[in-house]
């Protein structure tokens, strides 16, 4: 709760850098999110896109979507993946010892 969190969308078995875009947040709230499409790793044929959700936006469970599409072949279909942010709250219990 109110802690910066980074979500990841990893794609594997690819041969080139892909476009990874994130949705699920309002246009006016973009300053509370830092999306990244990541870098293509030719050693593992993979790429990991991330979405950093800054502290003010981590207030409740939410689902974001990463959309993966080809940069080279713009005619190919894109693929959507839902990524869930589960927020856990903390409850503080105070104990008072009363001495009479």
């Amino acid at each position: 709760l109110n802690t910066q969190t980074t979500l990841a969308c990893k794609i594997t078995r690819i041969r080139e850098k892909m476009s990874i875009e994130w949705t699920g947040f309002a246009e006016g709230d973009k300053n509370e999110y830092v999306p990244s499409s990541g870098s293509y790793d030719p050693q593992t044929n993979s790429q990991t896109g991330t979405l950093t959700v800054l502290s003010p936006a981590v207030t409740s469970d939410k689902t974001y979507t990463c959309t993966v599409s080809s940069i080279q072949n713009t005619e190919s279909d894109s693929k959507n993946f839902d990524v869930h942010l589960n927020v856990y709250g903390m409850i503080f219990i105070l104990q008072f010892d009363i001495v009479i």
Side-chain angles (χ1 to χ4, degrees):
L1 186 62
N2 291 326
T3 302
Q4 178 176 307
T5 304
T6 300
L7 305 174
C9 181
K10 183 175 183 176
I11 51 177
T12 59
R13 294 192 280 178
I14 57 174
R15 291 178 280 185
E16 61 193 34
K17 181 176 174 74
M18 305 294 277
S19 169
I20 300 177
E21 296 186 18
W22 290 90
T23 57
F25 44 90
E27 190 70 29
D29 293 336
K30 282 196 168 193
N31 60 337
E32 296 178 353
Y33 300 89
V34 181
S36 169
S37 62
S39 302
Y40 170 67
D41 183 349
Q43 299 288 328
T44 60
N45 291 328
S46 68
Q47 179 178 338
T48 302
T50 59
L51 177 66
T52 301
V53 183
L54 302 180
S55 297
V58 182
T59 58
S60 62
D61 292 355
K62 188 144 169 94
T63 300
Y64 300 94
T65 302
C66 76
T67 301
V68 179
S69 59
S70 173
I71 294 173
Q72 301 294 324
N73 184 3
T74 57
E75 299 298 316
S76 67
D77 290 337
S78 60
K79 180 75 174 165
N80 295 329
F81 299 95
D82 288 338
V83 182
H84 304 283
L85 170 64
N86 296 315
V87 176
Y88 301 93
M90 288 189 261
I91 299 173
F92 294 97
I93 300 173
L94 299 176
Q95 179 179 349
F96 295 97
D97 291 326
I98 299 174
V99 178
I100 299 180

